[in-house]
Amino acid sequence: AQTTESVPDTALNRKLGADEFGMKPFVLVFLKKGPKRSQIDSLQAIELQKAHMANIEKLVNQGKLVLAGPFLEKGDLRGIYLFDVRTIE
């Protein structure tokens, strides 16, 4: 029987910032519903949403944000971010 051994693509790993095994760190963030959410009016909510979307766009343009989106359920967890960064800082 013939076996196929996986050979790491070291050039691709370097390009993507991965280690010799093709692994790299990401930071996963869950967005929670804030304690003052019910205290804002609809105009404030619109302005906050605009600022939120502008921040997402900025992070994408900086190459830091890989994925962002809301959860469909209306629980305490409201959304998710996946950052292509090595640390929280």
Side-chain angles (χ1 to χ4, degrees):
Q2 194 175 20
T3 62
T4 305
E5 189 173 319
S6 179
V7 179
D9 185 340
T10 55
L12 179 60
N13 289 351
R14 279 193 303 275
K15 178 181 175 186
L16 298 176
D19 66 14
E20 67 272 16
F21 302 106
M23 305 293 286
K24 68 183 280 185
F26 289 89
V27 173
L28 178 66
V29 176
F30 292 102
L31 303 176
K32 290 180 69 177
K33 181 169 89 173
K36 298 181 182 181
R37 184 175 178 87
S38 63
Q39 298 173 11
I40 62 171
D41 62 37
S42 59
L43 291 176
Q44 288 174 310
I46 291 168
E47 290 304 313
L48 285 171
Q49 185 65 17
K50 283 182 188 178
H52 175 62
M53 296 307 292
N55 188 49
I56 287 173
E57 185 175 345
K58 179 182 102 178
L59 292 167
V60 168
N61 291 336
Q62 292 174 344
K64 294 178 181 178
L65 185 59
V66 175
L67 175 137
F71 291 139
L72 299 177
E73 295 179 8
K74 299 296 182 197
D76 286 339
L77 290 179
R78 302 310 297 252
I80 189 170
Y81 281 160
L82 180 62
F83 290 100
D84 185 0
V85 295
R86 294 198 171 274
T87 68
I88 293 171
E89 291 76 27

Coordinates of all heavy atoms in Angstrom, one line a residue:
A1 N 0.9 -1.2 0.0 CA 0.0 0.0 0.0 C 0.9 1.2 0.0 O 1.9 1.3 0.7 CB -0.9 0.0 1.2
Q2 N 0.5 2.2 -0.7 CA 1.2 3.4 -0.9 C 0.7 4.5 0.1 O -0.6 4.6 0.2 CB 1.2 3.9 -2.3 CG 2.2 5.0 -2.6 CD 2.1 5.4 -4.1 OE1 1.1 5.1 -4.8 NE2 3.2 5.9 -4.6
T3 N 1.5 5.2 0.8 CA 1.0 6.3 1.7 C 1.4 7.6 1.1 O 2.5 7.8 0.5 CB 1.6 6.1 3.1 OG1 3.0 6.3 3.0 CG2 1.3 4.8 3.7
T4 N 0.6 8.6 1.4 CA 0.9 10.0 1.0 C 1.2 10.8 2.2 O 0.3 10.9 3.1 CB -0.3 10.6 0.2 OG1 -0.6 9.7 -0.9 CG2 0.0 12.0 -0.3
E5 N 2.4 11.3 2.3 CA 2.8 12.0 3.5 C 2.5 13.5 3.2 O 2.9 14.0 2.2 CB 4.2 11.8 3.8 CG 4.6 12.4 5.2 CD 6.1 12.0 5.5 OE1 6.4 10.8 5.3 OE2 6.8 12.8 6.0
S6 N 1.9 14.2 4.2 CA 1.6 15.6 4.0 C 2.9 16.4 4.3 O 3.6 16.2 5.3 CB 0.6 16.1 5.0 OG 0.3 17.4 4.9
V7 N 3.3 17.3 3.3 CA 4.5 18.1 3.4 C 4.0 19.5 3.7 O 3.2 20.1 2.9 CB 5.3 18.0 2.2 CG1 6.5 18.9 2.3 CG2 5.7 16.5 1.9
P8 N 4.5 20.1 4.8 CA 4.1 21.5 5.1 C 4.6 22.5 4.0 O 5.6 22.3 3.4 CB 4.8 21.8 6.4 CG 5.4 20.6 6.9 CD 5.4 19.6 5.8
D9 N 3.7 23.4 3.7 CA 4.1 24.5 2.7 C 4.6 25.6 3.5 O 3.9 26.5 4.0 CB 2.8 24.9 1.9 CG 3.1 25.9 0.9 OD1 4.2 26.6 0.9 OD2 2.3 26.0 -0.1
T10 N 5.9 25.6 3.7 CA 6.6 26.6 4.6 C 6.4 28.0 4.1 O 6.3 29.0 4.9 CB 8.0 26.3 4.9 OG1 8.7 26.2 3.6 CG2 8.2 25.0 5.7
A11 N 6.4 28.2 2.8 CA 6.3 29.6 2.2 C 4.9 30.1 2.5 O 4.7 31.2 2.9 CB 6.5 29.6 0.7
L12 N 3.9 29.2 2.4 CA 2.5 29.6 2.7 C 2.3 29.9 4.2 O 1.7 30.9 4.6 CB 1.5 28.6 2.2 CG 0.0 28.8 2.5 CD1 -0.4 30.1 1.8 CD2 -0.8 27.7 2.1
N13 N 2.9 29.0 5.0 CA 2.9 29.2 6.5 C 3.4 30.6 6.8 O 2.8 31.3 7.6 CB 3.6 28.1 7.2 CG 2.9 26.8 7.1 OD1 1.8 26.7 6.7 ND2 3.6 25.7 7.5
R14 N 4.6 30.9 6.3 CA 5.2 32.2 6.6 C 4.3 33.4 6.1 O 4.1 34.4 6.8 CB 6.6 32.4 5.9 CG 7.7 31.7 6.7 CD 9.1 32.1 6.2 NE 9.3 31.8 4.8 CZ 9.7 30.7 4.3 NH1 9.9 29.7 5.2 NH2 9.8 30.5 3.0
K15 N 3.7 33.3 4.9 CA 2.9 34.3 4.4 C 1.7 34.5 5.3 O 1.2 35.7 5.5 CB 2.4 33.9 3.0 CG 1.5 34.9 2.3 CD 1.1 34.4 0.9 CE 0.0 35.4 0.4 NZ -0.5 34.9 -0.9
L16 N 1.1 33.5 5.8 CA -0.1 33.5 6.6 C 0.2 33.8 8.1 O -0.7 33.9 8.9 CB -0.9 32.3 6.5 CG -1.5 32.0 5.1 CD1 -2.2 30.7 5.0 CD2 -2.4 33.2 4.6
G17 N 1.5 33.8 8.5 CA 1.9 34.0 9.9 C 1.7 32.8 10.7 O 1.6 32.9 11.9
A18 N 1.8 31.6 10.1 CA 1.6 30.4 10.8 C 2.9 29.8 11.2 O 4.0 30.1 10.6 CB 0.8 29.4 9.9
D19 N 2.9 28.8 12.1 CA 4.1 28.1 12.5 C 4.4 27.0 11.5 O 3.7 26.9 10.5 CB 4.0 27.6 13.9 CG 2.9 26.5 14.1 OD1 2.4 25.9 13.1 OD2 2.6 26.2 15.3
E20 N 5.4 26.2 11.8 CA 5.8 25.1 10.9 C 4.7 24.1 10.6 O 4.8 23.3 9.7 CB 7.1 24.5 11.3 CG 7.0 23.7 12.6 CD 7.2 24.5 13.9 OE1 7.2 25.7 13.9 OE2 7.4 23.9 15.0
F21 N 3.7 24.0 11.5 CA 2.6 23.1 11.4 C 1.4 23.7 10.7 O 0.4 23.0 10.6 CB 2.2 22.5 12.7 CG 3.4 21.8 13.4 CD1 4.0 22.4 14.5 CD2 3.9 20.6 13.0 CE1 5.1 21.9 15.2 CE2 5.0 20.0 13.7 CZ 5.5 20.6 14.7
G22 N 1.5 24.9 10.3 CA 0.4 25.6 9.7 C -0.6 26.2 10.7 O -1.7 26.6 10.4
M23 N -0.2 26.3 12.0 CA -1.1 26.7 13.1 C -0.7 28.2 13.4 O 0.4 28.6 13.3 CB -0.9 25.9 14.3 CG -1.1 24.4 14.1 SD -2.8 24.0 13.7 CE -3.6 24.2 15.3
K24 N -1.8 29.0 13.8 CA -1.6 30.3 14.2 C -2.6 30.7 15.2 O -3.7 30.2 15.1 CB -1.5 31.3 13.0 CG -2.8 31.5 12.3 CD -2.7 32.4 11.1 CE -2.7 33.8 11.5 NZ -2.7 34.8 10.4
P25 N -2.3 31.7 16.1 CA -3.3 32.1 17.0 C -4.4 33.0 16.5 O -4.1 33.8 15.5 CB -2.5 32.7 18.1 CG -1.3 33.2 17.4 CD -1.0 32.3 16.3
F26 N -5.5 33.0 17.0 CA -6.6 33.9 16.7 C -7.2 34.3 18.1 O -7.0 33.6 19.1 CB -7.7 33.3 15.9 CG -7.3 33.1 14.4 CD1 -6.7 31.9 14.1 CD2 -7.5 34.0 13.5 CE1 -6.3 31.6 12.8 CE2 -7.2 33.8 12.2 CZ -6.6 32.6 11.8
V27 N -8.0 35.4 18.1 CA -8.7 35.8 19.3 C -10.2 35.7 19.0 O -10.6 36.4 18.0 CB -8.3 37.2 19.8 CG1 -9.1 37.6 21.0 CG2 -6.8 37.2 20.2
L28 N -10.9 35.0 19.8 CA -12.4 34.8 19.6 C -13.1 35.6 20.7 O -12.7 35.5 21.9 CB -12.7 33.3 19.8 CG -14.2 33.0 19.6 CD1 -14.7 33.3 18.2 CD2 -14.4 31.5 20.0
V29 N -14.0 36.5 20.3 CA -14.7 37.3 21.2 C -16.2 37.1 21.0 O -16.8 37.1 19.9 CB -14.4 38.8 20.9 CG1 -15.2 39.8 21.8 CG2 -12.9 39.1 21.0
F30 N -16.9 37.0 22.2 CA -18.4 36.9 22.2 C -18.9 38.3 22.7 O -18.4 38.8 23.7 CB -18.9 35.8 23.1 CG -18.6 34.4 22.6 CD1 -17.5 33.7 23.1 CD2 -19.3 33.9 21.5 CE1 -17.2 32.4 22.6 CE2 -19.0 32.6 21.1 CZ -18.0 31.9 21.6
L31 N -19.8 38.9 22.0 CA -20.4 40.1 22.4 C -21.6 39.8 23.2 O -22.5 39.1 22.8 CB -20.8 40.9 21.1 CG -19.7 41.2 20.1 CD1 -20.2 42.0 18.9 CD2 -18.6 42.1 20.8
K32 N -21.7 40.5 24.4 CA -22.8 40.3 25.3 C -23.7 41.5 25.3 O -23.2 42.6 25.1 CB -22.2 40.1 26.7 CG -21.6 38.7 26.9 CD -21.1 38.5 28.3 CE -22.2 38.4 29.2 NZ -21.8 38.1 30.6
K33 N -24.9 41.3 25.6 CA -25.9 42.4 25.8 C -25.5 43.2 27.0 O -25.2 42.7 28.0 CB -27.3 41.8 26.0 CG -28.4 42.8 26.1 CD -29.7 42.2 26.1 CE -30.2 41.8 27.4 NZ -31.6 41.3 27.4
G34 N -25.4 44.5 26.8 CA -25.0 45.4 27.9 C -26.1 45.6 28.9 O -27.3 45.5 28.6
P35 N -25.7 46.0 30.1 CA -26.7 46.2 31.2 C -27.6 47.4 31.0 O -28.6 47.5 31.5 CB -25.8 46.4 32.4 CG -24.5 46.8 31.9 CD -24.3 46.2 30.6
K36 N -27.1 48.4 30.1 CA -27.9 49.6 29.9 C -28.7 49.6 28.6 O -29.2 50.6 28.2 CB -27.0 50.8 30.0 CG -26.3 51.0 31.3 CD -25.5 52.2 31.3 CE -24.8 52.3 32.7 NZ -23.9 53.5 32.7
R37 N -28.7 48.4 27.9 CA -29.3 48.4 26.6 C -30.8 48.9 26.6 O -31.2 49.5 25.7 CB -29.3 46.9 26.1 CG -29.8 46.7 24.7 CD -29.6 45.3 24.3 NE -30.1 45.1 23.0 CZ -29.5 45.3 21.8 NH1 -28.3 45.7 21.9 NH2 -30.0 45.0 20.7
S38 N -31.5 48.5 27.6 CA -33.0 49.0 27.7 C -33.1 50.4 28.0 O -34.2 51.0 27.9 CB -33.7 48.1 28.7 OG -33.2 48.3 30.0
Q39 N -32.0 51.1 28.4 CA -32.1 52.5 28.8 C -31.8 53.5 27.6 O -31.9 54.7 27.8 CB -31.1 52.8 29.9 CG -31.4 52.0 31.1 CD -30.3 52.2 32.2 OE1 -29.4 53.0 32.1 NE2 -30.3 51.3 33.2
I40 N -31.6 53.0 26.4 CA -31.3 53.9 25.3 C -32.5 54.0 24.4 O -33.3 53.1 24.3 CB -30.0 53.5 24.5 CG1 -30.3 52.1 23.9 CG2 -28.8 53.4 25.4 CD1 -29.2 51.7 22.9
D41 N -32.7 55.2 23.8 CA -33.8 55.4 22.9 C -33.4 54.9 21.5 O -32.3 54.6 21.2 CB -34.3 56.8 23.0 CG -33.3 57.8 22.5 OD1 -32.5 57.5 21.6 OD2 -33.2 58.9 23.1
S42 N -34.4 55.0 20.6 CA -34.1 54.5 19.2 C -33.1 55.3 18.5 O -32.3 54.8 17.7 CB -35.4 54.4 18.4 OG -36.0 55.7 18.3
L43 N -33.0 56.6 18.7 CA -32.0 57.4 18.1 C -30.6 57.1 18.5 O -29.6 57.0 17.8 CB -32.3 58.9 18.3 CG -33.5 59.5 17.5 CD1 -33.7 61.0 17.9 CD2 -33.4 59.3 16.0
Q44 N -30.5 56.9 19.8 CA -29.2 56.5 20.4 C -28.8 55.1 19.8 O -27.6 54.9 19.5 CB -29.2 56.4 21.9 CG -29.3 57.7 22.6 CD -29.5 57.6 24.1 OE1 -30.4 56.9 24.5 NE2 -28.6 58.2 24.9
A45 N -29.8 54.2 19.7 CA -29.5 52.9 19.2 C -29.0 52.9 17.8 O -28.0 52.2 17.4 CB -30.8 52.0 19.3
I46 N -29.6 53.8 17.0 CA -29.1 54.0 15.6 C -27.7 54.5 15.5 O -26.8 54.0 14.8 CB -30.1 54.9 14.8 CG1 -31.4 54.2 14.6 CG2 -29.5 55.4 13.5 CD1 -32.5 55.2 14.1
E47 N -27.4 55.5 16.4 CA -26.0 56.0 16.4 C -25.0 55.0 16.9 O -23.9 54.9 16.4 CB -25.9 57.3 17.3 CG -26.7 58.5 16.7 CD -26.2 58.8 15.3 OE1 -24.9 58.9 15.1 OE2 -27.0 59.0 14.4
L48 N -25.4 54.2 17.9 CA -24.5 53.2 18.4 C -24.2 52.1 17.3 O -23.1 51.6 17.1 CB -25.1 52.5 19.6 CG -25.0 53.3 20.9 CD1 -25.8 52.6 22.0 CD2 -23.5 53.5 21.3
Q49 N -25.3 51.8 16.6 CA -25.1 50.8 15.5 C -24.2 51.3 14.4 O -23.4 50.5 13.9 CB -26.5 50.4 14.9 CG -26.5 49.3 13.9 CD -26.0 47.9 14.5 OE1 -26.0 47.7 15.7 NE2 -25.6 47.0 13.6
K50 N -24.4 52.6 14.0 CA -23.5 53.2 13.0 C -22.0 53.1 13.5 O -21.1 52.7 12.7 CB -23.9 54.6 12.8 CG -25.1 54.8 11.9 CD -25.3 56.3 11.7 CE -26.6 56.6 11.0 NZ -26.9 58.0 10.8
A51 N -21.8 53.5 14.7 CA -20.4 53.4 15.3 C -19.9 52.0 15.3 O -18.7 51.8 15.0 CB -20.4 54.1 16.7
H52 N -20.7 51.1 15.7 CA -20.4 49.6 15.7 C -20.0 49.2 14.3 O -18.9 48.5 14.2 CB -21.6 48.9 16.3 CG -21.4 47.4 16.3 ND1 -20.5 46.7 17.0 CD2 -22.1 46.4 15.6 CE1 -20.6 45.4 16.8 NE2 -21.6 45.2 16.0
M53 N -20.7 49.5 13.3 CA -20.4 49.1 12.0 C -19.2 49.8 11.4 O -18.4 49.1 10.7 CB -21.6 49.3 11.0 CG -22.9 48.5 11.4 SD -22.6 46.7 11.5 CE -22.2 46.3 9.8
A54 N -19.0 51.0 11.8 CA -17.8 51.7 11.4 C -16.5 51.1 12.0 O -15.5 51.0 11.3 CB -17.9 53.2 11.7
N55 N -16.6 50.7 13.2 CA -15.5 50.0 13.9 C -15.2 48.7 13.2 O -14.0 48.3 13.0 CB -15.8 49.8 15.4 CG -14.6 49.3 16.2 OD1 -13.5 49.9 16.0 ND2 -14.8 48.3 16.9
I56 N -16.3 47.9 12.9 CA -16.1 46.6 12.2 C -15.3 46.9 10.9 O -14.4 46.2 10.6 CB -17.4 45.9 12.0 CG1 -17.9 45.4 13.3 CG2 -17.3 44.8 10.9 CD1 -19.3 44.8 13.2
E57 N -15.8 47.9 10.1 CA -15.1 48.2 8.8 C -13.7 48.6 9.0 O -12.8 48.1 8.3 CB -15.9 49.3 8.1 CG -15.4 49.6 6.7 CD -16.2 50.6 6.0 OE1 -17.3 50.9 6.4 OE2 -15.7 51.1 5.0
K58 N -13.4 49.4 10.0 CA -12.0 49.8 10.3 C -11.1 48.6 10.6 O -10.0 48.4 10.1 CB -12.0 50.8 11.5 CG -10.6 51.2 11.9 CD -10.7 52.2 13.1 CE -10.2 51.4 14.3 NZ -10.2 52.1 15.5
L59 N -11.6 47.7 11.5 CA -10.9 46.5 11.8 C -10.6 45.5 10.6 O -9.6 45.0 10.5 CB -11.6 45.7 13.0 CG -11.6 46.5 14.3 CD1 -12.6 45.8 15.3 CD2 -10.2 46.5 14.9
V60 N -11.6 45.4 9.8 CA -11.5 44.6 8.5 C -10.4 45.3 7.7 O -9.5 44.6 7.1 CB -12.8 44.5 7.8 CG1 -12.6 43.9 6.4 CG2 -13.8 43.6 8.5
N61 N -10.5 46.6 7.5 CA -9.5 47.3 6.6 C -8.1 47.2 7.2 O -7.1 47.2 6.4 CB -9.9 48.7 6.4 CG -11.1 48.9 5.6 OD1 -11.4 48.0 4.8 ND2 -11.8 50.0 5.7
Q62 N -7.9 47.1 8.5 CA -6.6 46.9 9.1 C -6.1 45.4 9.0 O -5.0 45.1 9.4 CB -6.7 47.3 10.6 CG -6.9 48.8 10.8 CD -7.1 49.1 12.3 OE1 -7.4 48.3 13.1 NE2 -7.0 50.4 12.6
G63 N -7.0 44.5 8.5 CA -6.6 43.1 8.4 C -6.7 42.4 9.8 O -6.1 41.3 9.9
K64 N -7.3 43.0 10.7 CA -7.4 42.3 12.1 C -8.7 41.5 12.3 O -8.6 40.5 13.0 CB -7.4 43.4 13.2 CG -6.1 44.2 13.2 CD -6.1 45.2 14.3 CE -4.8 46.0 14.3 NZ -4.9 47.1 15.3
L65 N -9.7 41.8 11.6 CA -11.0 41.1 11.8 C -11.3 40.2 10.7 O -11.3 40.6 9.5 CB -12.1 42.2 11.9 CG -13.5 41.6 12.3 CD1 -13.5 40.9 13.6 CD2 -14.5 42.8 12.3
V66 N -11.5 38.9 11.0 CA -11.7 37.8 10.0 C -13.2 37.6 9.9 O -13.7 37.4 8.8 CB -11.0 36.5 10.5 CG1 -11.4 35.4 9.6 CG2 -9.5 36.7 10.6
L67 N -13.9 37.7 11.0 CA -15.3 37.3 11.0 C -16.1 38.1 12.0 O -15.5 38.4 13.1 CB -15.5 35.8 11.3 CG -16.9 35.2 11.5 CD1 -16.9 33.9 10.8 CD2 -17.2 35.1 12.9
A68 N -17.3 38.6 11.7 CA -18.1 39.3 12.7 C -19.6 39.0 12.3 O -19.9 39.0 11.1 CB -17.8 40.8 12.7
G69 N -20.4 38.9 13.3 CA -21.8 38.7 13.0 C -22.6 38.5 14.2 O -22.1 38.2 15.3
P70 N -23.9 38.8 14.1 CA -24.8 38.6 15.2 C -25.3 37.2 15.3 O -25.2 36.4 14.4 CB -26.0 39.5 14.8 CG -26.0 39.4 13.3 CD -24.6 39.3 12.9
F71 N -25.8 36.8 16.5 CA -26.4 35.6 16.8 C -27.9 35.8 16.5 O -28.5 36.9 16.8 CB -26.2 35.1 18.2 CG -24.8 34.7 18.5 CD1 -24.2 35.0 19.7 CD2 -24.1 33.9 17.6 CE1 -22.9 34.6 20.0 CE2 -22.8 33.5 17.9 CZ -22.2 33.8 19.1
L72 N -28.6 34.8 16.0 CA -30.0 34.9 15.7 C -30.9 34.9 16.9 O -31.9 35.6 16.9 CB -30.4 33.8 14.7 CG -29.7 33.8 13.4 CD1 -30.2 32.7 12.5 CD2 -29.9 35.1 12.6
E73 N -30.5 34.2 18.0 CA -31.3 34.2 19.2 C -31.0 35.5 20.0 O -30.0 36.1 19.9 CB -30.8 33.0 20.1 CG -31.2 31.7 19.4 CD -30.7 30.5 20.3 OE1 -30.3 30.7 21.4 OE2 -30.8 29.4 19.8
K74 N -32.0 35.9 20.7 CA -32.0 37.2 21.4 C -31.6 37.0 22.9 O -32.2 37.6 23.8 CB -33.3 37.9 21.3 CG -33.7 38.3 19.9 CD -32.7 39.2 19.3 CE -33.2 39.6 17.9 NZ -32.2 40.2 17.1
G75 N -30.6 36.2 23.2 CA -30.2 35.9 24.5 C -29.1 37.0 25.0 O -29.0 38.0 24.3
D76 N -28.4 36.7 26.0 CA -27.4 37.6 26.5 C -26.2 37.7 25.5 O -25.6 38.7 25.4 CB -26.9 37.2 27.9 CG -27.9 37.5 29.0 OD1 -28.7 38.4 28.7 OD2 -27.8 36.9 30.1
L77 N -25.8 36.5 24.9 CA -24.8 36.6 23.9 C -25.4 37.1 22.6 O -26.3 36.5 22.1 CB -24.2 35.2 23.7 CG -23.3 34.7 24.8 CD1 -22.8 33.3 24.5 CD2 -22.2 35.6 25.1
R78 N -24.8 38.2 22.1 CA -25.4 38.8 20.9 C -24.7 38.7 19.6 O -25.2 38.8 18.5 CB -25.6 40.3 21.2 CG -26.4 40.6 22.4 CD -27.8 39.9 22.4 NE -28.6 40.3 21.4 CZ -29.7 41.0 21.5 NH1 -30.1 41.4 22.6 NH2 -30.4 41.3 20.4
G79 N -23.4 38.4 19.7 CA -22.6 38.3 18.4 C -21.2 37.7 18.7 O -20.9 37.4 19.8
I80 N -20.5 37.7 17.6 CA -19.1 37.1 17.6 C -18.2 37.9 16.8 O -18.6 38.4 15.8 CB -19.2 35.6 17.2 CG1 -17.9 34.9 17.4 CG2 -19.7 35.5 15.7 CD1 -18.0 33.4 17.1
Y81 N -16.9 37.9 17.2 CA -15.8 38.5 16.4 C -14.7 37.4 16.4 O -14.5 36.7 17.4 CB -15.2 39.7 17.1 CG -15.8 41.0 17.0 CD1 -15.5 42.0 17.9 CD2 -16.7 41.3 16.0 CE1 -16.1 43.3 17.8 CE2 -17.3 42.6 15.8 CZ -17.0 43.5 16.8 OH -17.5 44.8 16.6
L82 N -14.0 37.3 15.3 CA -12.8 36.4 15.2 C -11.7 37.3 14.7 O -11.8 37.9 13.6 CB -13.0 35.2 14.3 CG -11.8 34.3 14.2 CD1 -11.4 33.7 15.5 CD2 -12.0 33.2 13.1
F83 N -10.7 37.6 15.5 CA -9.6 38.5 15.2 C -8.4 37.7 14.8 O -8.0 36.7 15.4 CB -9.2 39.3 16.4 CG -10.3 40.3 16.8 CD1 -11.1 40.1 17.8 CD2 -10.4 41.5 16.1 CE1 -12.1 41.1 18.1 CE2 -11.3 42.5 16.4 CZ -12.2 42.3 17.4
D84 N -7.7 38.1 13.7 CA -6.4 37.6 13.3 C -5.3 38.4 13.9 O -4.6 39.2 13.3 CB -6.3 37.7 11.8 CG -5.1 37.0 11.2 OD1 -4.3 36.5 12.0 OD2 -4.9 37.0 10.0
V85 N -5.2 38.2 15.2 CA -4.2 38.9 16.1 C -3.6 37.8 17.0 O -4.2 36.8 17.3 CB -4.7 40.1 16.9 CG1 -5.2 41.2 15.9 CG2 -5.9 39.6 17.8
R86 N -2.4 38.1 17.5 CA -1.7 37.2 18.4 C -2.1 37.3 19.8 O -2.1 36.3 20.6 CB -0.2 37.3 18.2 CG 0.3 36.9 16.9 CD 1.8 36.7 16.9 NE 2.2 36.1 15.6 CZ 2.2 34.8 15.4 NH1 1.8 33.9 16.3 NH2 2.6 34.3 14.2
T87 N -2.5 38.5 20.3 CA -2.9 38.7 21.7 C -4.1 39.6 21.7 O -4.5 40.3 20.8 CB -1.7 39.3 22.5 OG1 -1.6 40.7 22.0 CG2 -0.4 38.6 22.3
I88 N -4.7 39.6 22.9 CA -5.9 40.5 23.1 C -5.4 42.0 23.1 O -6.1 42.8 22.6 CB -6.5 40.2 24.5 CG1 -7.1 38.8 24.5 CG2 -7.5 41.2 24.9 CD1 -7.6 38.3 25.8
E89 N -4.2 42.2 23.5 CA -3.7 43.6 23.5 C -3.7 44.1 22.1 O -3.9 45.3 21.8 CB -2.3 43.7 24.2 CG -2.3 43.5 25.7 CD -2.5 42.0 26.1 OE1 -2.1 41.1 25.3 OE2 -3.0 41.8 27.1

